[in-house]
Amino acid sequence: MTEETPGFEEQPDVPSGATSDDAEPQTATPSAEGAAAPDGDAAAQLTGLTAQLDQARMALSERTADLQRLQAEFQNYRRRVERDRIAVKELAVSSLLTELLPVLDDIGRARDHGELVGGFKSVAESLETVAAKMGLQQFGKEGEPFDPTIHEALMHSYAPDVTETTCVAILQPGYRFGERTIRPARVAVAEPQPGAQTVKAEDSAAETADDKESGGPDEG
């Protein structure tokens, strides 16, 4: 048994050649560079995320523009198809009505001669009603001014009682479908007599001169 010497405390074993400072455990303190490293990484990550967000926004804008362009093209396509459908329908109806015009002419002649009676009258009126519902319109009246765009003059004469070229007889009525003239009205026209205008102009000039000489018309 050994006796402990009073006044001395046991010290931990220290390797030879080591100082007392080395024997004490040291706590690692982060350096300034190590502390700044996490902040630099966060900034780099934020920059990368911002760039990705800008790219996503740009891609979204491009896709939105593409979608709007496709939608506009589709709307234009639908309008073209609708216009073509209406045009084809109008052409088909116009062709059908054109084929019916000789029948309508026969009905008109029979009516003028008093032959539109009995069952034939009922059938004729039904046909005229159906044609009118499909958009067929008859035009051409006696006394209206001659219009070469809708009238076809088959006969020509002079008349003292007209002041312009006038339709004096409707030989065959005209027909239109919507804004399209299917057949012009075939008419007989009359023009003013060549000397009538000159005589009227001389008479008007003479009356004017008489009024000036007499001091004008009498006042009441």
Side-chain angles (χ1 to χ4, degrees):
M1 174 177 282
T2 60
E3 295 182 359
E4 297 180 357
T5 305
F8 293 94
E9 295 180 356
E10 294 183 357
Q11 299 292 333
D13 296 335
V14 178
S16 61
T19 62
S20 60
D21 294 338
D22 295 335
E24 296 179 358
Q26 297 180 357
T27 57
T29 58
S31 62
E33 295 178 357
D39 294 339
D41 293 341
Q45 292 179 358
L46 181 60
T47 302
L49 291 175
T50 302
Q52 293 179 3
L53 180 60
D54 292 340
Q55 292 178 356
R57 287 175 177 172
M58 185 179 298
L60 177 61
S61 178
E62 292 176 354
R63 298 299 178 270
T64 302
D66 292 340
L67 181 60
Q68 291 175 347
R69 184 169 57 254
L70 289 175
Q71 186 176 8
E73 291 177 356
F74 179 68
Q75 293 296 336
N76 292 334
Y77 168 76
R78 288 185 60 184
R79 283 193 288 267
R80 286 197 304 271
V81 170
E82 184 65 17
R83 284 199 306 267
D84 293 343
R85 186 185 66 82
I86 294 175
V88 170
K89 179 181 177 181
E90 290 181 350
L91 182 60
V93 174
S94 177
S95 299
L96 174 62
L97 294 175
T98 301
E99 296 297 328
L100 289 177
L101 293 186
V103 180
L104 296 176
D105 291 337
D106 292 339
I107 292 174
R109 283 191 290 267
R111 181 180 287 111
D112 293 339
H113 290 83
E115 298 176 357
L116 197 64
V117 294
F120 177 57
K121 178 180 179 181
S122 178
V123 173
E125 292 177 348
S126 298
L127 179 60
E128 290 176 336
T129 301
V130 172
K133 286 183 178 180
M134 295 177 68
L136 185 67
Q137 299 176 356
Q138 185 184 99
F139 66 89
K141 295 181 179 180
E142 294 183 4
E144 63 184 8
F146 176 75
D147 184 352
T149 62
I150 60 174
H151 297 138
E152 180 181 354
L154 300 182
M155 298 177 64
H156 176 269
S157 62
Y158 293 97
D161 56 344
V162 297
T163 58
E164 59 180 343
T165 305
T166 306
C167 300
V168 294
I170 306 298
L171 305 179
Q172 203 172 43
Y175 289 96
R176 67 168 59 96
F177 173 67
E179 300 297 329
R180 182 186 308 172
T181 299
I182 297 179
R183 187 183 73 186
R186 293 165 180 169
V187 299
V189 299
E191 291 182 347
Q193 290 182 351
Q197 296 295 332
T198 304
V199 172
K200 289 182 179 180
E202 292 177 354
D203 292 342
S204 298
E207 291 177 358
T208 303
D210 292 340
D211 291 338
K212 289 182 179 180
E213 291 177 359
S214 61
D218 296 338
E219 295 181 359

